[in-house]
Every structure is written in C-alpha cells, then in structure tokens.
Amino acid sequence: MQILSQQDARRLAISRQHLDEAERPCLLDLIRDLGCVQLDPIRHVERTHLLVLWSRLGAFDEAELERLRFEERALFEYWAHAASLVLTDEWPVHNWYMRHLQEKPDSTWVEERREIIDRMQEDMLAEFRQGPKMSRELEIPDDPRFDSRWWSGRYVSVLIDRLWSRGLLTVYGRPHNNHRLWGLAEDFWPEWTPREAWNEEQVTRFAVQKAVRALGAATSKQIKRHYTRGRYPKLTAVLKKLVHEGVLLEVTVLGRDEVPLPGPWYMHQEDSDLLAHIQAGNWHGRTTLLSPFDNLICDRDRTELLLNFFYRIEIYVPKKKRQYGYYVLPILHQDRLIGRIDADMNRSTNTLHLHNVYAEEGAPGGQQTVQAIAQAAADLGQFLGAEDVAWGQVPDVWKALR
C-alpha cells in the first residue's frame, strides 16, 4: 500500500487544483480538472468564481469565460457542490440528478399548493417558448406572494428554481447586474452535448473519479462532499469495484507522529507519477489568495485535517461576534495556509482594502514571505482594477507589509 505523508497529500491536492508553480492549463481545462466552480452573488471583493479562477490563472480574460458560457455553451449553471459552473460535456452526470428530482415525490408544501403551481408552471413554460427572459419580464397573471413561518416571496421565483433543478430551464446569460436570463434548457444545449441517460452506477463511477482526481487523495466522506455533493448512489460498491480494477489505489496518509489518518484513502492511478514527482522533492509551490468558496477549502473538515487550518465564513455572523471579518481570504503559501486577510474592494474609490491581516501560529516570517504576500495582494488589486491597495492592521511577523 502506498504511504503518503500529510505534506505529500497537501502537495498532491494543491497540484491537482493547479495552485502550484507548474505550467497552468487553459481556462476550460482548468475548470474540467476542478469539476465545478461555485457561483455566489456576493461581490464584496469579487464574484467567487472569478476569484477561484484568478487564484490559479492570474489575470485571465473574463471575456473568454463569458464566451465559453454563453456563446460556445461549453459551461452551464447547475448544482454541483453548490450552485456552480459545470461542463456541458459532463451533462449525463448532472442529468441523472435532474431526472432524480423529476421522479421524486413533491414536498407537502408543493402538494398543498398544487393547483396554483401547476397553472403557473404551464404559463411560465409557454412564455419561455417565445424566447429567453428574466424573471421580472414574465407576464404571469395572478402571481401571488406567499408567506410561511420562515420565509416569503413570489411563486415565480420558486418555480424558476424548481424548473431549473429539474433540467427544464437554464441560464442563457447574465446581462444586467448579474441577473439571470432564463430560457428552455432543451434549446440551450449544443448539438455535441452527450445525451446518454446514465444509471446510478455510471454516475457514481464518473463522479468518484472526478472528485478523487480533484482532491489528490480522499476518503469516501470527502468524496461525498466534493464535486456532486451528496449525489453518490452505491458509493461503497463503486469504490470497491474501482479499486479491484486498479483505477483507484487505496493509500495510507500519515498524520502527526506518523499516525495514520482515519481512512481508507483513495488516489487515482493516473496520479501515481505526479505523487512520485512530489515525493522525489521536485515540487514547487507559490503564494496566492483564495476565495472563501475555493474548491481547495470548500470541505472545512478536510481543510482542518490536511492543512491544519480552521476556517468558517462569517458573512452571516453579527459584526460584533466576528472573529476575523465579513469576507476573509485565506493566504496559500507553498503547501500551507499561513494566514487570512479581511478584505473588500471599494469600487467608488477603486481601492482594495486589506483591513486586517492575520498570521497562523508558526507562520513563516522574513522578507521573502512578506514580498510573496504583498505581490499576491498587488496582483489581486490589478485584476480588480484597483488604483490603490490599502493595508490596515498587520501582524508583527509581517510588519513590513505596512
């Protein structure tokens, strides 16, 4: 059985996530290796999908991303480990979930409103047959609001999400202030879209390999939390079969004092050469800042286990109770997360504010580290179009950042 140190596992993950110093792939190949890139409406610094791509590619061409999304339609928006950009050529794995939701019994909430939901859904689909529209452009007669104990809103918004999740609608563009332009999914897919209807085993076999390769090495629990989160039917049987076929390798990951971390852990056989390269000492990292929703750290428990970094988003925490800040960017330096920055981009003054910088215990100091952090911040500022990068409080170990 192959044995990996904790450092080996970190470096393998960082390499597979294209966060090391190796040659960087093209934009579409990067997203293919990641499997998905999460979408989120918050733009406190920048939209998260743009930050995730910037961390790996630097100042990439955003117009190319838009072209891939809405002209070539090589990408589309759907559920992965959250609402994400996913690949059209991986349509069968996502279509399985669409079909699963179509066949799943409706909730009590829907059944209690069956008459109005069925009527409005038919009216909406009739409008979308005339062409893509934003939700506010839909002319649906009698669109009542609803209220419940926990939330309220328009039926149109609920039904759009319902039709999107079930694969009947998809996003054709985001033309105004990130608002989505909706249209019929059947008219969106390019001719080359694979249309096979996969069964459970085919879906899990594909998704497991995507997740394991993106993570480098992972446990079954970590696999379930990655890529198509929570959508791994028959996982145990598929893992056993992939190991038997030699597609996946069972490995041991050693933690502190060379005590094996709870497993089993799995690695894809195609990454054997990369692991050998890493274990031979031929590995070079770099320094960059990560989105709070970055693929490397989206599984918080795994992040704490492998990277010894406790991270939680404090967006919904009352200001006085926040430990670090509203929108905090972890600092990846080589193969460690060495700190975090409470940041925001003021677009009225074109200033990137780095309000508070925090160093992890034992974080490296010295001129080289400080310069690497400063350069990463400057590169982010340039990507955002900032005219100035304003530093706030910095720890003593990096006081030269001032």
Side-chain angles (χ1 to χ4, degrees), residues 14-33:
I14 290 167
S15 294
R16 289 298 305 148
Q17 296 265 330
H18 297 290
L19 285 163
D20 60 353
E21 195 59 64
E23 183 178 353
R24 302 173 194 183
C26 70
L27 181 56
L28 188 60
D29 284 346
L30 169 62
I31 297 173
R32 178 171 286 107
D33 283 347

Side-chain angles (χ1 to χ4, degrees), residues 262-274:
W265 291 71
Y266 302 93
M267 189 185 89
H268 203 282
Q269 57 87 16
E270 290 187 15
D271 289 326
S272 296
D273 288 346
L274 175 58

Side-chain angles (χ1 to χ4, degrees), residues 65-97:
L65 178 62
E66 296 303 289
R67 177 177 58 79
L68 290 171
R69 294 175 68 179
F70 303 125
E71 292 181 30
E72 293 190 14
R73 299 179 179 178
L75 303 168
F76 68 101
E77 297 187 20
Y78 195 62
W79 294 110
H81 58 239
S84 303
L85 291 177
V86 296
L87 282 92
T88 303
D89 61 19
E90 295 176 3
W91 184 85
V93 75
H94 301 293
N95 172 254
W96 175 84
Y97 188 58

Side-chain angles (χ1 to χ4, degrees), residues 2-3 44 68 104 124 135 172 207 244 253 257 265 274 280 284 325 329 332 342 353:
Q2 184 79 43
I3 297 177
H44 198 68
L68 290 171
K104 183 180 178 182
M124 288 170 59
S135 61
Y172 275 66
H244 178 73
V253 178
D257 301 320
W265 291 71
L274 175 58
H284 301 283
L329 310 179
L332 176 65
D342 173 21
H353 290 278

Side-chain angles (χ1 to χ4, degrees), residues 75-144:
L75 303 168
F76 68 101
E77 297 187 20
Y78 195 62
W79 294 110
H81 58 239
S84 303
L85 291 177
V86 296
L87 282 92
T88 303
D89 61 19
E90 295 176 3
W91 184 85
V93 75
H94 301 293
N95 172 254
W96 175 84
Y97 188 58
M98 297 172 188
R99 289 185 286 116
H100 170 75
L101 292 179
Q102 291 172 17
E103 297 163 2
K104 183 180 178 182
D106 282 313
S107 66
T108 302
W109 188 93
V110 171
E111 290 296 348
E112 290 174 350
R113 296 158 177 81
R114 173 62 63 192
E115 184 177 346
I116 188 171
I117 285 175
D118 287 349
R119 173 183 63 77
M120 291 186 66
Q121 187 165 294
E122 286 305 311
D123 289 344
M124 288 170 59
L125 289 172
E127 286 224 34
F128 284 122
R129 290 187 189 104
Q130 300 172 23
K133 292 178 174 65
M134 286 188 283
S135 61
R136 64 173 182 245
E137 296 174 322
L138 292 170
E139 297 179 4
I140 305 296
D142 187 26
D143 175 17

